[in-house]
Coordinates of all heavy atoms in Angstrom, one line a residue:
Q60 N 24.0 20.2 13.5 CA 24.4 21.3 12.5 C 25.3 20.7 11.4 O 25.2 20.9 10.3 CB 24.9 22.5 13.0 CG 23.8 23.4 13.6 CD 24.4 24.4 14.7 OE1 25.5 24.3 15.1 NE2 23.6 25.4 15.1
E61 N 26.3 19.9 11.9 CA 27.3 19.2 11.0 C 26.6 18.3 10.1 O 26.8 18.3 8.7 CB 28.3 18.5 11.9 CG 29.4 17.7 11.0 CD 30.3 17.1 12.0 OE1 30.7 17.5 13.1 OE2 30.8 15.9 11.5
L62 N 25.6 17.6 10.5 CA 24.9 16.7 9.7 C 24.1 17.4 8.6 O 24.0 17.1 7.5 CB 23.9 15.6 10.4 CG 24.6 14.7 11.4 CD1 23.6 14.0 12.3 CD2 25.5 13.7 10.8
R63 N 23.5 18.5 9.1 CA 22.7 19.3 8.2 C 23.6 19.8 7.0 O 23.1 19.9 5.9 CB 21.9 20.4 9.0 CG 20.9 20.1 10.0 CD 19.7 19.5 9.2 NE 18.9 20.4 8.6 CZ 18.5 20.2 7.3 NH1 18.7 19.2 6.6 NH2 17.8 21.3 6.7
T64 N 24.8 20.3 7.5 CA 25.7 20.9 6.5 C 26.0 19.9 5.4 O 26.3 20.1 4.3 CB 26.9 21.5 7.2 OG1 26.5 22.4 8.2 CG2 27.9 22.0 6.2
L65 N 26.2 18.5 5.9 CA 26.5 17.4 4.9 C 25.3 17.1 4.1 O 25.5 16.2 3.2 CB 26.9 16.2 5.8 CG 28.3 16.3 6.6 CD1 28.6 15.1 7.4 CD2 29.5 16.3 5.5
G66 N 24.1 17.7 4.3 CA 23.0 17.4 3.5 C 22.0 16.4 4.0 O 21.0 16.1 3.2
Y67 N 22.2 15.9 5.1 CA 21.2 14.9 5.8 C 20.0 15.7 6.3 O 20.1 16.9 6.9 CB 21.9 14.1 6.9 CG 23.0 13.2 6.4 CD1 24.4 13.4 6.6 CD2 22.6 12.0 5.8 CE1 25.4 12.6 6.2 CE2 23.6 11.1 5.4 CZ 24.9 11.4 5.5 OH 25.9 10.6 5.1
E68 N 19.0 15.0 6.3 CA 17.8 15.4 7.1 C 17.9 14.7 8.6 O 18.3 13.5 8.6 CB 16.5 14.8 6.5 CG 16.2 15.4 5.0 CD 15.7 16.8 5.1 OE1 15.3 17.3 6.3 OE2 16.0 17.6 4.1
V69 N 17.5 15.5 9.6 CA 17.8 15.1 10.9 C 16.6 14.9 11.7 O 15.7 15.8 11.8 CB 18.7 15.9 11.7 CG1 18.9 15.4 13.2 CG2 20.1 16.0 11.0
F70 N 16.4 13.7 12.3 CA 15.3 13.3 13.2 C 16.0 13.4 14.6 O 16.7 12.7 14.9 CB 14.7 12.0 12.8 CG 13.7 11.4 13.8 CD1 13.2 12.1 14.9 CD2 13.4 10.0 13.7 CE1 12.3 11.6 15.8 CE2 12.5 9.4 14.7 CZ 11.9 10.2 15.6
L71 N 15.6 14.5 15.4 CA 16.3 14.6 16.8 C 15.2 14.0 17.8 O 14.1 14.4 17.9 CB 16.4 16.1 16.9 CG 17.2 16.5 18.2 CD1 18.6 15.8 18.3 CD2 17.5 18.0 18.3
D72 N 15.6 12.9 18.3 CA 14.7 11.9 19.1 C 15.1 12.2 20.5 O 15.9 11.3 21.1 CB 15.0 10.5 18.6 CG 13.9 9.5 19.3 OD1 12.9 10.1 19.9 OD2 14.2 8.4 19.3
L73 N 14.6 13.3 21.1 CA 14.9 13.6 22.6 C 13.8 13.2 23.4 O 14.0 13.4 24.7 CB 15.4 15.0 22.6 CG 16.7 15.4 21.9 CD1 17.0 16.8 22.1 CD2 17.8 14.5 22.2
K74 N 12.7 12.8 22.9 CA 11.6 12.3 23.7 C 11.3 13.2 25.0 O 11.4 12.7 26.1 CB 11.9 10.9 24.1 CG 11.9 9.9 23.0 CD 11.9 8.5 23.5 CE 12.0 7.4 22.3 NZ 13.3 7.4 21.7
F75 N 10.9 14.4 24.6 CA 10.7 15.4 25.8 C 9.5 14.9 26.6 O 8.4 14.5 26.0 CB 10.4 16.8 25.2 CG 11.6 17.4 24.6 CD1 11.3 18.0 23.3 CD2 12.9 17.4 25.0 CE1 12.4 18.5 22.6 CE2 13.9 17.9 24.3 CZ 13.6 18.5 23.1
H76 N 9.6 15.0 27.9 CA 8.5 14.5 28.9 C 8.7 15.4 30.2 O 9.5 15.0 31.0 CB 8.5 13.2 29.1 CG 7.4 12.6 29.8 ND1 7.0 11.2 30.0 CD2 6.4 13.2 30.4 CE1 5.9 11.1 30.6 NE2 5.5 12.2 30.9
D77 N 8.0 16.5 30.2 CA 8.3 17.4 31.3 C 7.0 18.4 31.5 O 6.1 18.1 30.7 CB 9.5 18.3 31.2 CG 10.2 18.6 32.5 OD1 9.5 19.0 33.5 OD2 11.4 18.5 32.8
I78 N 7.2 19.3 32.3 CA 5.9 20.3 32.5 C 5.8 21.1 31.1 O 6.7 21.2 30.4 CB 6.0 21.2 33.7 CG1 7.1 22.0 33.6 CG2 5.9 20.3 34.9 CD1 7.2 23.2 34.7
P79 N 4.7 21.6 30.9 CA 4.5 22.2 29.5 C 5.5 23.4 29.3 O 6.1 23.5 28.2 CB 3.1 22.8 29.6 CG 2.3 21.9 30.5 CD 3.3 21.4 31.5
N80 N 5.7 24.2 30.2 CA 6.6 25.4 30.1 C 8.1 24.9 29.7 O 8.8 25.5 28.9 CB 6.6 26.3 31.3 CG 7.4 27.5 31.2 OD1 7.2 28.3 30.2 ND2 8.5 27.7 31.9
T81 N 8.5 23.8 30.3 CA 9.8 23.3 30.3 C 10.0 22.7 28.7 O 11.0 22.8 28.1 CB 10.2 22.3 31.3 OG1 10.2 23.0 32.5 CG2 11.7 21.7 31.1
V82 N 9.0 21.9 28.4 CA 8.9 21.3 27.1 C 9.0 22.3 26.0 O 9.7 22.3 25.0 CB 7.9 20.3 26.9 CG1 7.7 19.8 25.5 CG2 8.2 19.1 27.8
A83 N 8.1 23.4 26.1 CA 8.0 24.5 25.1 C 9.5 25.0 24.9 O 10.0 25.3 23.8 CB 7.1 25.4 25.5
G84 N 10.2 25.2 26.0 CA 11.5 25.8 26.0 C 12.5 24.9 25.5 O 13.4 25.3 24.7
A85 N 12.4 23.6 25.7 CA 13.4 22.6 25.2 C 13.2 22.5 23.7 O 14.1 22.4 22.8 CB 13.1 21.2 25.8
I86 N 12.0 22.7 23.1 CA 11.8 22.6 21.7 C 12.4 23.8 21.0 O 13.0 23.7 20.1 CB 10.2 22.6 21.5 CG1 9.7 21.1 21.7 CG2 9.8 23.0 20.0 CD1 8.3 20.9 21.7
R87 N 12.3 25.0 21.7 CA 13.0 26.2 21.1 C 14.5 26.0 21.1 O 15.1 26.2 20.0 CB 12.6 27.4 22.0 CG 11.2 27.9 21.8 CD 10.9 29.3 22.4 NE 10.8 29.3 23.8 CZ 9.8 28.9 24.5 NH1 8.7 28.8 23.8 NH2 9.7 29.0 25.9
S88 N 15.1 25.5 22.2 CA 16.5 25.2 22.3 C 17.0 24.3 21.2 O 17.9 24.5 20.6 CB 16.9 24.9 23.6 OG 16.6 25.9 24.5
A89 N 16.3 23.0 21.2 CA 16.6 21.9 20.4 C 16.5 22.2 18.9 O 17.1 21.6 18.0 CB 16.0 20.7 20.7
S90 N 15.7 23.2 18.6 CA 15.4 23.5 17.2 C 16.3 24.3 16.4 O 16.3 24.4 15.3 CB 13.9 24.2 17.1 OG 12.9 23.3 17.5
T91 N 17.3 25.0 17.1 CA 18.0 25.9 16.5 C 19.0 25.2 15.5 O 19.6 25.8 14.6 CB 19.0 26.6 17.6 OG1 19.6 25.8 18.3 CG2 18.1 27.5 18.4
A92 N 19.3 23.8 15.7 CA 20.3 23.2 14.9 C 19.7 22.9 13.5 O 20.4 22.4 12.7 CB 20.8 22.0 15.6
G93 N 18.4 22.8 13.4 CA 17.8 22.7 12.1 C 17.3 21.3 11.9 O 17.2 20.7 10.8
A94 N 16.8 20.4 13.0 CA 16.2 19.2 12.8 C 14.8 19.4 12.2 O 14.2 20.3 12.4 CB 16.1 18.5 14.2
T95 N 14.6 18.4 11.3 CA 13.2 18.4 10.7 C 12.2 17.7 11.5 O 11.0 18.1 11.5 CB 13.4 17.6 9.3 OG1 14.4 18.2 8.6 CG2 12.1 17.7 8.5
L96 N 12.6 16.6 12.3 CA 11.7 16.0 13.1 C 12.1 15.9 14.6 O 13.3 15.8 14.9 CB 11.5 14.5 12.8 CG 10.8 14.3 11.3 CD1 11.0 12.8 11.0 CD2 9.3 14.7 11.2
L97 N 11.1 16.1 15.5 CA 11.6 16.2 17.0 C 10.5 15.4 17.8 O 9.3 15.7 17.5 CB 11.5 17.8 17.4 CG 12.1 18.3 18.5 CD1 13.6 17.8 18.7 CD2 11.9 19.7 18.6
T98 N 10.9 14.7 18.8 CA 9.9 13.8 19.5 C 9.5 14.4 20.9 O 10.5 15.0 21.5 CB 10.4 12.4 19.7 OG1 11.8 12.5 20.0 CG2 10.3 11.7 18.4
L99 N 8.4 14.1 21.4 CA 8.0 14.2 22.8 C 7.1 13.0 23.2 O 6.6 12.4 22.2 CB 7.3 15.6 23.0 CG 5.8 15.8 22.4 CD1 5.3 17.1 23.0 CD2 5.9 15.8 20.9
H100 N 7.0 12.7 24.4 CA 6.2 11.7 24.9 C 4.6 12.1 25.0 O 4.4 13.0 25.7 CB 6.6 11.2 26.2 CG 7.7 10.0 26.2 ND1 7.4 8.8 25.8 CD2 9.0 10.1 26.5 CE1 8.5 8.1 25.7 NE2 9.5 8.9 26.2
A101 N 3.8 11.4 24.3 CA 2.4 11.7 24.4 C 1.9 11.5 25.8 O 0.9 12.2 26.2 CB 1.6 10.8 23.5
A102 N 2.6 10.7 26.6 CA 2.2 10.5 28.1 C 2.3 11.8 28.8 O 1.8 11.8 30.0 CB 2.9 9.4 28.6
G103 N 3.0 12.8 28.3 CA 3.2 14.1 29.1 C 1.7 14.8 29.2 O 1.6 15.7 29.8
G104 N 0.8 14.3 28.3 CA -0.5 14.8 28.4 C -0.9 16.0 27.4 O 0.0 16.5 26.7
A105 N -2.2 16.4 27.4 CA -2.7 17.3 26.4 C -2.1 18.7 26.5 O -1.7 19.3 25.6 CB -4.2 17.3 26.4
V106 N -2.0 19.2 27.7 CA -1.5 20.6 27.9 C 0.0 20.7 27.5 O 0.3 21.6 26.9 CB -1.8 21.0 29.4 CG1 -1.2 22.4 29.6 CG2 -3.3 21.0 29.7

Side-chain angles (χ1 to χ4, degrees):
Q60 279 157 350
E61 180 179 325
L62 296 174
R63 295 288 295 135
T64 303
L65 290 169
Y67 291 105
E68 296 288 339
V69 177
F70 168 14
L71 189 52
D72 186 21
L73 300 179
K74 296 189 178 72
F75 300 130
H76 190 171
D77 208 315
I78 62 170
N80 186 58
T81 300
V82 168
I86 285 170
R87 286 190 288 273
S88 295
S90 295
T91 57
T95 305
L96 296 173
L97 197 54
T98 45
L99 72 170
H100 271 290
V106 178

